[in-house]
Amino acid sequence: MNKAELRDWVCRMPKAELHMHIDGSLEASRMLSLAKKHGVDLPYTSEAEVQNAYDFHDLQSFLDLYYLGASVLRDEEDFYFLMMDYLERCRADNIVHCEIMVEPQTYFPNGVDFDTFMKGFERAIAEANATWGQSVVLILSLLRHTPEDECLAVLEQARPWRHAFTAIGLASSERGHPPEKFERLYAAAKSEGYALTIHAGEEGPAEYIWTSLKSLGVARIDHGVRCTEDDALMDFLAEEKIPLTVCPLSNTRLKVYQTMHEHPVLTLLARGLCVTINSDDPAYFGGYLNANYLALLDTFEPSPQVFVELARNSFQAAFLEDTQRDAFLQTLAKWESAA
Ligand code: HPA
Ligand code: ZN
């Protein structure tokens, strides 16, 4: 395969995306039109101005804009189109299964309640599932800059929508908000049968990954790239097959790494860790899932087999029943042998 053929091959490969914040898929054009619709005052008047503001130097500088952007989402139709746009993108990128983070605490300050966003999201998901068989899991993502009691209250408010969420997660500012602050939250979610994931080791130290595993009992780590600072941790993650949902374009845009050449994801893969590739906040970081795969292709020029391994990991790490997982793995194997 020449380079152009390999790019096309990677884009067509069936894959799963496990780390994507739905508000992170809000494109500038829709942000502006919704601001107009709802009379929300944003400090931008054009798409170019919005794009110019996406000049981040760390996680917090991004989060400030991200929460501001999401403040334009107000009614059920807004949430329907936000979800539908992303699911259409899944179809285009051959993301046959996706796991999407929903963050109620972002919407509540604007008077938006659970029913409003969940009805919009569920309508889009049902349509995508009926039309092209899109597989979707939702993750109830709490915000770690808020008090644990507030997160526990959201878990309680989610009760009427319990059927819609497979897992809980924890996102937002990592530094100064260690995992042990949320021990009661994770214990409560576990007792209610949620699967558990958490952002750890993006800007926070490797220690936060250890605590997430030992004190919270999570099954998966979002980001986790700073495990490279701790050999024993990398060995543990490999031995225990704890997946990392890694987001290459996010990490370079938020300056976790200055260039893609410094990114350790393929080194971690070679060391035996179950790493997966994800887009995090695609509208803000310069690309959806295939753009992340292609950034690795352009930077490291790995063999086609590496991409198949990454896609296989994405299904292995998914919060799926084993029969569904096996079906996706078979689809990938068939695709590979036909390719
Ligand atoms: N890290 C933490 N919180 C987030 C992120 C992230 O990369 N994206 C959206 N919320
Ligand atoms: Zn994230």
Side-chain angles (χ1 to χ4, degrees):
M1 269 190 281
N2 65 30
K3 182 97 180 273
E5 287 165 343
L6 182 55
R7 289 174 73 85
D8 180 56
W9 188 82
V10 165
C11 291
R12 285 189 289 106
M13 179 177 65
K15 52 184 83 72
E17 168 147 73
L18 309 178
H19 181 164
M20 206 289 297
H21 305 255
I22 193 64
D23 300 332
S25 69
L26 179 64
E27 290 289 343
S29 54
R30 193 174 288 286
M31 187 195 294
L32 290 171
S33 67
L34 293 182
K36 201 165 168 192
K37 172 181 171 186
H38 297 298
V40 178
D41 206 10
L42 290 180
Y44 326 109
T45 54
S46 67
E47 273 182 55
E49 279 183 33
V50 181
Q51 300 289 354
N52 282 341
Y54 294 173
D55 182 22
F56 311 118
H57 52 271
D58 61 5
L59 175 59
Q60 194 59 51
S61 63
F62 155 70
L63 289 171
D64 293 343
L65 282 190
Y66 166 80
Y67 294 125
L68 179 68
S71 72
V72 305
L73 297 159
R74 298 294 170 98
D75 64 28
E76 187 189 320
E77 187 191 47
D78 302 344
F79 293 102
Y80 167 82
F81 282 114
L82 180 68
M83 182 61 78
M84 206 60 197
D85 283 354
Y86 171 67
L87 296 177
E88 294 277 9
R89 181 57 77 133
C90 287
R91 188 183 197 181
D93 277 10
N94 292 299
I95 300 169
V96 291
H97 172 73
C98 59
E99 307 201 343
I100 302 172
M101 299 184 203
V102 173
E103 299 176 343
Q105 288 159 291
T106 302
Y107 310 138
F108 291 159
N110 300 311
V112 178
D113 62 17
F114 244 100
D115 281 3
T116 303
F117 58 84
M118 287 308 291
K119 282 182 183 162
F121 288 155
E122 283 211 319
R123 189 155 58 87
I125 292 166
E127 257 180 57
N129 183 263
T131 312
W132 67 88
Q134 184 66 49
S135 168
V136 181
V137 151
L138 295 185
I139 299 171
L140 179 66
S141 176
L142 291 315
L143 304 183
R144 69 199 311 155
H145 67 268
T146 68
E148 185 182 34
D149 281 340
E150 182 178 316
C151 297
L152 279 161
V154 178
L155 195 65
E156 198 55 40
Q157 282 170 280
R159 211 171 275 282
W161 293 93
R162 178 67 190 85
H163 64 276
F165 292 101
T166 300
I168 71 150
L170 196 67
S172 190
S173 326
E174 190 178 2
R175 286 200 191 115
H177 301 287
E180 55 268 31
K181 180 179 159 190
F182 296 95
E183 277 177 14
R184 286 181 302 136
L185 174 71
Y186 275 77
K190 191 175 181 184
S191 75
E192 290 180 34
Y194 286 96
L196 309 176
T197 185
I198 187 172
H199 283 56
E202 177 190 20
E203 278 198 347
E207 188 57 34
Y208 283 15
I209 302 173
W210 276 125
T211 334
S212 300
L213 297 169
K214 303 276 185 195
S215 307
L216 304 184
V218 301
R220 194 162 95 186
I221 298 284
D222 295 315
H223 292 296
V225 284
R226 285 192 60 190
C227 69
T228 53
E229 294 163 17
D230 184 332
D231 277 322
L233 176 57
M234 286 189 283
D235 290 345
F236 184 83
L237 293 168
E239 272 158 31
E240 298 297 319
K241 297 188 171 45
I242 309 279
L244 305 184
T245 64
V246 178
C247 309
L249 286 175
S250 167
N251 292 156
T252 48
R253 290 299 281 265
L254 299 188
K255 308 288 191 274
V256 176
Y257 303 103
Q258 298 307 312
T259 68
M260 195 58 83
H261 285 280
E262 294 167 37
H263 204 288
V265 65
L266 296 187
T267 314
L268 291 171
L269 183 73
R271 200 182 160 123
L273 276 76
C274 180
V275 293
T276 65
I277 303 302
N278 306 273
S279 70
D280 207 6
D281 301 283
Y284 290 85
F285 298 150
Y288 286 78
L289 185 54
N290 279 352
N292 278 268
Y293 276 88
L294 293 176
L296 295 180
L297 195 165
D298 291 339
T299 308
F300 299 105
E301 305 194 340
S303 72
Q305 201 47 43
V306 165
F307 292 103
V308 177
E309 236 182 289
L310 290 167
R312 196 179 302 122
N313 284 352
S314 74
F315 296 119
Q316 294 287 11
F319 292 135
L320 285 168
E321 300 290 338
D322 281 344
T323 48
Q324 286 172 291
R325 185 192 324 284
D326 290 347
F328 283 127
L329 286 168
Q330 266 190 23
T331 304
L332 178 64
K334 266 193 206 149
W335 180 85
E336 188 191 1
S337 58

